[in-house]
Amino acid sequence: MALALGRKPIGLDIAPVAGRSLWQDARTRFLRNRAATASLVVLVLVGLFAAFGQFLAASPPDYVDFGLLGQVKEQGAPSLTNGHWFGLDEQARDLYARVVQGTRISLMVGIVGALVAVVVGTLYGATSGYVGGRVDNVMMRIVDILKSIPYMFVLILLLMVFGRSIFMLFLGIGMISWLDMARIARGQTLSLKNKEFVEAAVATGVKPLTIILRHIVPNLLGVVVVYATILVPEMIIYESFVSFLGLGVQEPNTSWGALISDGTGTMQYGTIWQLLFPLFFFVVTLFAFFFVGDGLRDALDPKDR
Amino acid sequence: MSLLLETRGVEVTFPIRGKGDWPWTPPRLLRAVAGVSLTLREGETLGVVGESGSGKSTLARAILGTIPPTGGKVIWQGRDITGLSGEARRAHAKDVQMVFQDPLAALNPRMTVGQIIAEPLRTHHPEISREEARARVQEIMAQVGLLPNLINRYPHEFSGGQCQRIGIARALILRPKLLICDEPVSALDVSVQAQVINLLKEIQGAFGLSIIFIAHDLSVVRHVSDRIAVMYLGRLVEVAAGKRLIAEPWHPYTKALIASIPVPDPAVERVRVKAALTGELPSPLAPPSGCVFRTRCPVARPSCAELVPETRSEGDRMVACPFAPEEIGQLDNAVTVRAGGI
């Protein structure tokens, strides 16, 4: 295929140099943001706590220490000597083990909710925006209708009718979490699909689904990731609220909302640690998520470059 | 040379919805391209010039098929490709490729140069192995004057001129028969413009492809084009061989365009009377009656408002003005003299 282009192809034998992708640039910018990096470390620690914390517990979360039942106020305060680091709860169970379990469930709820939003919401919104026209109209009106149903009411109804279970909680939260994401993804897609690189792909003859997956979605991800980090704490708050009302997770399972609810119920009995420990994890994690979201937004903002 | 492409009265109409209209209000129709008939031979370069909003880019997209024409026919090597959709259009896309105006915006910022250039190859020849695709990408990069070892770089790491070379490499990798260049140099520096134009000419010589070269600047177009088509408000006003069109323009609009080319000599430029055109392009939603150019034409007469000018052909020259060049010349002698000075 030698072509008489008047110029000898040079450099064919030089090894390729690596390029710096926009993601790598963003990572550098993110790591330069101290608050965001510190928050990320905090999140990793909370994650490790949720994953491996149970190995340090004095007893399983559902083990009732009958010897101390009834004298939690006097004997159950946090102590290093008896291994109940966080003290005991009202039923004389190890609060440390309970918090580990609550953290695990709350994080799971947050991450599953955000994951459903990212996958379903992004694809739904990108498809709706890219196809456009009547399809877009119908798809977005469906979102509007779902959005106009009071989600808390539906979630509570769902938990009442089908029984309180983690699965129902995930289902209910997953059902509402993707709606806003779909709208955001659609808005971004509308501006992306008029870019020339999308037109170039259309002109080349790339199939619509491939264009959405190869050209639209990767360029949406910046916005999606930022929104997802805000969505995780939002989902945790939803779940905590439902659990606080006594409708969320079922005993012996627990979550931050349920633990905080228990803690507030007993705070006038002088066992304030039952409120403070779960509250501390709750607040610290939410703050960390918000800082990481902020850092990601700054790092991924294309206007910054 | 055999005919590669022919457009017969191609029309593109966009429905325009007013803000705040009821959903059942009929949209107003914007005729971006109103009956364009052109021919393109194999290996030929056709320049298309006109102001912004004259429908050049829309015509290009109608030929490409990304905006389907609402009227007329596009005939590709004797085959009507107007109604092609879906799979058939995608298969045809192999033969026609496009180079875009904004070099950076035409490249996906999340993909490496290698992935961008290889995309047409992956689309139409999925059977080609990764290594072979890579080799072909590097080969084409070398041909368009890019260092092949930059294959893993991202578009934002390149200059405008290099980005345009990437765009050209992507358009060429499938060896198309027709390359549509939509203002490929308007966003570049003058020195880089020359490089890119020379590259396009070289490529045409080596690959033997046809080029439709769109620009709003006659001085760029006359460098590359065998023939030039002048568009005004979605219509063709004059088509002629490049040198003849510049030397002896017929249509008053072509004359005005040529008169507005700056002369790179301050002494000449100072005494030269500037462009004869005043006013702005009329709205394509409400084009003037009769000849659409009459509102700005220096030689317009009352009859121009009533009759749509018929296109007259003389040899391979085509003009949409009912007056003989001598007639126009008498009325507008000054413009012709000025144009002759270039």
Side-chain angles (χ1 to χ4, degrees):
Chain A
M1 283 198 293
L3 279 148
L5 258 190
R7 153 181 349 106
K8 228 176 86 184
I10 48 161
L12 272 173
D13 44 344
I14 307 174
V17 288
R20 224 159 23 91
S21 75
L22 293 181
W23 292 115
Q24 285 166 296
D25 281 0
R27 196 173 57 205
T28 319
R29 273 197 297 274
F30 181 86
L31 291 178
R32 221 178 284 146
N33 184 338
R34 294 215 174 84
T37 316
S39 297
L40 191 65
V41 172
V42 169
L43 284 186
V44 169
L45 291 178
V46 172
L48 289 177
F49 174 76
F52 304 110
Q54 79 264 29
F55 297 121
L56 299 175
S59 56
D62 50 356
Y63 172 79
V64 179
D65 194 344
F66 286 102
L68 294 171
L69 199 61
Q71 24 182 335
V72 171
K73 186 187 166 192
E74 296 78 25
Q75 307 277 323
S79 101
L80 293 173
T81 47
N82 62 7
H84 296 307
W85 325 105
F86 293 179
L88 296 175
D89 74 352
E90 207 45 36
Q91 276 81 50
R93 292 172 295 195
D94 182 34
L95 190 61
Y96 173 83
R98 302 276 294 160
V99 171
V100 170
Q101 195 186 24
T103 305
R104 199 179 293 166
I105 285 181
S106 281
L107 283 184
M108 222 147 80
V109 166
I111 287 165
V112 166
L115 216 63
V116 170
V118 167
V119 175
V120 178
T122 310
L123 288 178
Y124 191 92
T127 309
S128 170
Y130 183 76
V131 176
R134 199 161 290 167
V135 176
D136 179 35
N137 251 327
V138 170
M139 285 176 85
M140 279 299 122
R141 290 306 80 75
I142 290 172
V143 170
D144 286 349
I145 290 167
L146 289 178
K147 191 82 191 149
S148 65
I149 301 169
Y151 68 89
M152 214 32 115
F153 177 74
V154 172
L155 190 55
I156 289 169
L157 212 65
L158 208 66
L159 292 169
M160 299 294 278
V161 172
F162 294 103
R164 290 156 50 183
S165 72
I166 294 259
F167 175 73
M168 273 300 139
L169 201 64
F170 282 164
L171 193 77
I173 281 177
M175 256 164 54
I176 50 151
S177 67
W178 61 274
L179 297 173
D180 282 327
M181 188 65 100
R183 282 188 179 164
I184 290 170
R186 172 183 172 265
Q188 288 287 315
T189 308
L190 286 183
S191 70
L192 274 175
K193 79 166 177 181
N194 291 321
K195 287 270 170 69
E196 286 183 334
F197 67 81
V198 176
E199 208 195 332
V202 176
T204 302
V206 184
K207 290 199 182 72
L209 185 65
T210 317
I211 291 181
I212 291 175
L213 293 179
R214 195 186 286 162
H215 294 283
I216 303 275
V217 170
N219 285 288
L220 286 177
L221 278 186
V223 179
V224 167
V225 163
V226 171
Y227 188 65
T229 51
I230 298 168
L231 210 60
V232 173
E234 216 172 283
M235 292 301 125
I236 292 175
I237 290 172
Y238 283 163
E239 187 280 328
S240 296
F241 183 65
V242 174
S243 295
F244 190 84
L245 292 178
L247 285 167
V249 292
Q250 238 179 333
E251 290 283 352
N253 274 325
T254 191
S255 76
W256 284 337
L259 286 170
I260 292 167
S261 171
D262 291 348
T264 41
T266 59
M267 70 198 240
Q268 65 265 51
Y269 307 145
T271 53
I272 191 76
W273 65 84
Q274 293 177 1
L275 174 62
L276 288 185
F277 281 106
L279 197 61
F280 170 79
F281 276 88
F282 182 75
V283 170
V284 163
T285 310
L286 292 206
F287 260 100
F289 265 114
F290 287 136
F291 275 118
V292 167
D294 253 13
L296 277 176
R297 199 197 52 220
D298 291 346
L300 294 168
D301 191 354
K303 283 180 219 100
D304 210 33
R305 31 176 331 102
Chain B
M1 280 187 286
S2 59
L3 212 57
L4 183 72
L5 176 86
E6 188 182 354
T7 68
R8 285 189 200 151
V10 164
E11 291 203 21
V12 181
T13 311
F14 296 113
I16 303 290
R17 290 206 161 274
K19 276 209 176 96
D21 274 2
W22 291 109
W24 52 84
T25 311
R28 297 203 291 165
L29 297 178
L30 188 150
R31 288 177 89 196
V33 177
V36 170
S37 301
L38 275 174
T39 54
L40 183 72
R41 288 184 284 268
E42 270 174 30
E44 183 186 38
T45 304
L46 176 71
V48 181
V49 283
E51 284 167 90
S52 311
S54 60
K56 305 170 301 237
S57 299
T58 313
L59 175 66
R61 281 156 181 78
I63 292 171
L64 199 63
T66 51
I67 298 177
T70 47
K73 278 183 177 170
V74 180
I75 292 156
W76 174 264
Q77 290 183 321
R79 197 166 66 102
D80 186 358
I81 56 160
T82 322
L84 288 191
S85 61
E87 208 52 55
R89 193 198 74 73
R90 285 196 282 274
H92 169 68
K94 227 182 341 185
D95 288 332
V96 188
Q97 290 286 314
M98 187 146 170
V99 175
F100 293 87
Q101 176 172 11
D102 185 340
L104 189 57
L107 308 175
N108 185 345
R110 305 278 175 203
M111 282 161 82
T112 65
V113 170
Q115 290 168 331
I116 290 170
I117 298 176
E119 181 165 39
L121 210 57
R122 277 167 71 191
T123 308
H124 290 283
H125 300 285
E127 74 281 358
I128 286 181
S129 72
R130 212 173 260 267
E131 292 74 34
E132 197 193 333
R134 194 182 168 82
R136 283 183 63 176
V137 167
Q138 290 195 321
E139 187 194 21
I140 200 100
M141 281 176 81
Q143 281 169 354
V144 299
L146 289 164
L147 280 174
N149 65 335
L150 302 180
I151 189 166
N152 290 333
R153 289 261 171 128
Y154 287 85
H156 66 269
E157 298 175 288
F158 290 89
S159 70
Q162 284 175 312
C163 283
Q164 199 57 289
R165 284 172 196 268
I166 297 167
I168 293 170
R170 170 178 61 189
L172 287 179
I173 196 157
L174 286 178
R175 301 289 155 88
K177 296 194 175 78
L178 171 62
L179 189 65
I180 300 178
C181 304
D182 186 8
E183 311 215 10
V185 295
S186 336
L188 304 174
D189 290 344
V190 179
S191 57
V192 182
Q193 284 188 6
Q195 291 174 13
V196 170
I197 286 175
N198 288 339
L199 173 68
L200 284 172
K201 283 171 110 176
E202 264 181 53
I203 283 165
Q204 187 176 27
F207 287 47
L209 40 66
S210 304
I211 294 182
I212 293 181
F213 193 97
I214 298 171
H216 54 248
D217 185 355
L218 251 182
S219 56
V220 173
V221 169
R222 67 170 171 175
H223 261 292
V224 288
S225 309
D226 301 320
R227 284 191 307 144
I228 298 179
V230 182
M231 281 186 81
Y232 185 80
L233 214 66
R235 291 134 178 102
L236 279 183
V237 297
E238 188 165 2
V239 184
K243 288 201 182 79
R244 269 190 77 196
L245 186 102
I246 303 285
E248 36 181 294
W250 276 12
H251 198 279
Y253 181 63
T254 317
K255 289 186 185 183
L257 276 187
I258 291 168
S260 66
I261 300 176
V263 177
D265 179 350
V268 177
E269 185 69 21
R270 210 171 294 129
V271 295
R272 216 163 66 111
V273 188
K274 289 284 153 33
L277 272 194
T278 51
E280 280 176 28
L281 204 66
S283 164
L285 280 170
S289 64
C291 171
V292 286
F293 185 54
R294 68 179 166 83
T295 51
R296 299 166 76 190
C297 182
V299 297
R301 298 168 197 185
S303 65
C304 293
E306 283 147 29
L307 281 176
V308 178
E310 278 181 34
T311 53
R312 291 185 293 138
S313 296
E314 273 190 38
D316 68 338
R317 178 162 208 162
M318 184 234 102
V319 185
C321 184
F323 306 124
E326 302 80 44
E327 260 179 293
I328 302 168
Q330 280 164 12
L331 281 161
D332 190 40
N333 216 1
V335 177
T336 321
V337 170
R338 268 176 258 137
I342 303 166

